[in-house]
Amino acid sequence: MDLSHALNITPVERLLISYKGSEDVLKYCESKLVPFFEQNVASWKRQGRQFPFPLHVKFMLRFVPYSPDLLIDLSKNGHHKWDQHAFLHLFFMKPSSVDEYRTGSRHEASEWFASVSQVNGTEWLIVFDSTKAREKKNRGTLLERIKSDFAKHTSRVVEVHEGSSQCMNGLQLLMQSYLLSSLDTFVGHEESYLSVLKEDYKNSDFNFIAYCEYQMEMSRLYNTLGVLEHVLAKYDELDALLSLIVDHFSKESAKPSWLCGEQHVGDGCPLLAALAQCNAPPKRKAVSLIEIRSLIVAHQIIVSLRIFDERVRHVSDGAPPNAIQMKCDFAAIILRYSNHCITSICEERSAMGLKLNHPELQCWTVAFCVEAMQFVSLLTQAAHVEHASYFACSLSTRKCTAVRCVGFV
């Protein structure tokens, strides 16, 4: 396995944009919009004092046919899946005259508008391609009529026509503004919901598996936006919350309902197996500490590698002057995460009084340590990472001890 293969284990997803109306206008606009948003960064100024600096995000878009199911109704309590909703809704039309508009696009646009307007806060735009209308000298009267029909929302009626980069730039900037608004509202709602859930972590009925799934969904959203530091922060938060939960319940007689009493180590390679189910924890009522910590550290490692790759790519032509040091720094991060994971598992298993098949644990330990070193080797040799030698030695010692123990079984 090389670095490129590791980075492709978890593919990047796309934000949904719904469309209705003219397929011809869709194809024309899609060919201009998708590359623009992939190549340009938007400044996302989060609401609230806790976000003093804007995030620089990229919108990876996918156009899908409109359906009412794609509307994000945040008035409904609970968790919402971002990948099942559209953040912006577009209606495309290309009439050549007022009569053609009346008999064709107008009724369909009105029905679509009535549908998207049912949910407060929905962001939408009507895109009018005036190419044919210009040819027949009807552009002015037709645009005036369309805006008259949507008199309260004239700013949401956008004109484009083939060959005009200025009009397309206007659409791109307007879409960017509405996407940022929709994104900010959605993320604010979801993070508030997660914050409320988290407050109940000391309750034995707290569903950490569901919380973990929701947090991982937010991580996937940040990953789609290209803000990898925020992705890593979400997994670090999960790691810290898990430590808090275990610390609390190690002093209680009751145990969390989501935690397996009999520890399950899983099958195959611990880290790669965890990455294979990248979207959520195992679909069971209870999971083991080994499973959940393997899942978290697997993502901490892969996101760290992506951050490394991104920083290398952003450097100008040729190898960056500090490439060797950068590789060592990120190798140290992987070693630190790996050592923290296996150390936490051993300490928490003991603190919680959890049972585990000893030979099975030793085999898992060997596999985990070998895999961790394999990920480190994608950057450099562990022996070259002087400022993380303790972590490297600790992992090697655990592996050797586990091999020796297995030999005595």
Side-chain angles (χ1 to χ4, degrees):
M1 179 175 65
D2 58 23
L3 183 58
S4 62
H5 289 142
L7 296 175
N8 290 329
I9 289 176
T10 54
V12 176
E13 299 166 272
R14 291 176 175 267
L15 293 181
L16 299 184
I17 304 293
S18 84
Y19 68 87
K20 187 82 173 178
S22 170
E23 294 281 345
D24 289 341
V25 184
L26 163 68
K27 292 177 182 178
Y28 169 69
C29 290
E30 186 178 17
S31 68
K32 304 292 184 181
L33 295 172
V34 172
F36 170 82
F37 283 105
E38 288 183 359
Q39 296 167 12
N40 291 275
V41 173
S43 181
W44 178 20
K45 297 179 181 179
R46 299 288 310 274
Q47 299 296 322
R49 293 183 179 179
Q50 66 269 40
F51 306 107
F53 303 106
L55 294 178
H56 301 295
V57 301
K58 284 188 177 182
F59 291 116
M60 310 290 285
L61 305 180
R62 180 161 68 92
F63 286 79
V64 295
Y66 173 76
S67 165
D69 294 336
L70 294 171
L71 297 171
I72 307 175
D73 189 356
L74 298 181
S75 65
K76 296 180 179 179
N77 294 328
H79 169 66
H80 297 79
K81 292 180 176 291
W82 66 268
D83 56 352
Q84 295 181 7
H85 299 284
F87 284 80
L88 181 63
H89 305 271
L90 304 178
F91 187 92
F92 298 109
M93 62 172 70
K94 194 177 183 179
S96 61
S97 65
V98 173
D99 288 339
E100 185 179 333
Y101 166 67
R102 284 174 179 169
T103 58
S105 306
R106 181 183 179 184
H107 179 68
E108 187 180 15
S110 297
E111 286 188 337
W112 169 84
F113 172 71
S115 179
V116 298
S117 300
Q118 290 178 355
V119 177
N120 290 332
T122 299
E123 301 293 2
W124 56 271
L125 287 170
I126 293 176
V127 182
F128 164 50
D129 186 337
S130 63
T131 303
K132 291 167 61 177
R134 286 172 180 270
E135 293 173 356
K136 296 187 176 183
K137 311 297 183 183
N138 293 326
R139 177 258 178 192
T141 55
L142 183 51
L143 181 59
E144 183 178 344
R145 182 53 190 267
I146 296 171
K147 289 190 174 183
S148 175
D149 287 343
F150 299 92
K152 295 182 179 180
H153 310 282
T154 55
S155 63
R156 292 180 182 266
V157 178
V158 188
E159 179 189 5
V160 298
H161 65 90
E162 296 175 13
S164 173
S165 58
Q166 183 177 359
C167 286
M168 183 55 64
N169 288 341
L171 173 60
Q172 291 164 345
L173 294 176
L174 199 56
M175 281 184 61
Q176 186 179 87
S177 175
Y178 284 127
L179 280 170
L180 288 171
S181 175
S182 182
L183 175 68
D184 195 64
T185 301
F186 178 84
V187 170
H189 176 276
E190 289 300 299
E191 292 193 340
S192 294
Y193 177 70
L194 285 173
S195 179
V196 172
L197 283 183
K198 184 179 177 180
E199 293 175 357
D200 203 31
Y201 78 89
K202 292 183 179 180
N203 192 320
S204 61
D205 292 329
F206 172 68
N207 192 341
F208 181 71
I209 299 176
Y211 180 87
C212 189
E213 180 180 354
Y214 301 159
Q215 183 85 317
M216 289 179 69
E217 284 187 16
M218 291 303 297
S219 298
R220 287 166 43 219
L221 175 56
Y222 283 124
N223 188 53
T224 295
L225 297 171
V227 281
L228 296 179
E229 285 79 5
H230 267 58
V231 179
L232 189 58
K234 289 298 177 185
Y235 286 107
D236 289 348
E237 289 173 12
L238 277 179
D239 185 320
L241 178 59
L242 181 55
S243 296
L244 284 175
I245 292 173
V246 172
D247 179 67
H248 172 75
F249 283 100
S250 65
K251 305 166 187 174
E252 302 289 328
S253 56
K255 301 302 178 188
S257 58
W258 56 267
L259 182 63
C260 287
E262 296 291 335
Q263 290 291 282
H264 175 68
V265 301
D267 303 314
C269 300
L271 298 184
L272 291 179
L275 283 172
Q277 52 180 18
C278 60
N279 291 338
K283 297 294 184 181
R284 300 196 307 271
K285 291 183 178 180
V287 298
S288 68
L289 276 176
I290 288 179
E291 287 178 295
I292 202 69
R293 282 215 171 273
S294 294
L295 181 65
I296 293 172
V297 76
H299 286 280
Q300 288 172 322
I301 289 174
I302 205 68
V303 175
S304 297
L305 288 173
R306 280 186 168 155
I307 293 174
F308 165 79
D309 183 65
E310 183 182 69
R311 291 185 183 178
V312 170
R313 290 175 184 272
H314 284 174
V315 177
S316 57
D317 296 338
N322 60 340
I324 295 177
Q325 184 59 49
M326 193 184 298
K327 288 182 177 181
C328 289
D329 290 342
F330 277 88
I333 291 172
I334 294 174
L335 287 168
R336 175 170 57 81
Y337 276 133
S338 301
N339 185 68
H340 168 73
C341 174
I342 197 167
T343 300
S344 297
I345 288 172
C346 293
E347 293 176 352
E348 292 168 352
R349 184 175 61 86
S350 176
M352 296 286 283
L354 300 173
K355 299 177 182 179
L356 187 64
N357 180 283
H358 185 70
E360 192 176 32
L361 174 61
Q362 302 310 320
C363 290
W364 178 88
T365 300
V366 173
F368 179 89
C369 293
V370 169
E371 276 198 343
M373 290 301 186
Q374 179 68 30
F375 277 107
V376 171
S377 70
L378 297 177
L379 301 175
T380 187
Q381 295 300 313
H384 298 164
V385 191
E386 296 181 359
H387 54 297
S389 57
Y390 169 80
F391 303 134
C393 290
S394 177
L395 290 170
S396 296
T397 300
R398 288 184 183 277
K399 182 188 72 172
C400 293
T401 301
V403 170
R404 182 173 58 83
C405 290
V406 171
F408 285 125
V409 174

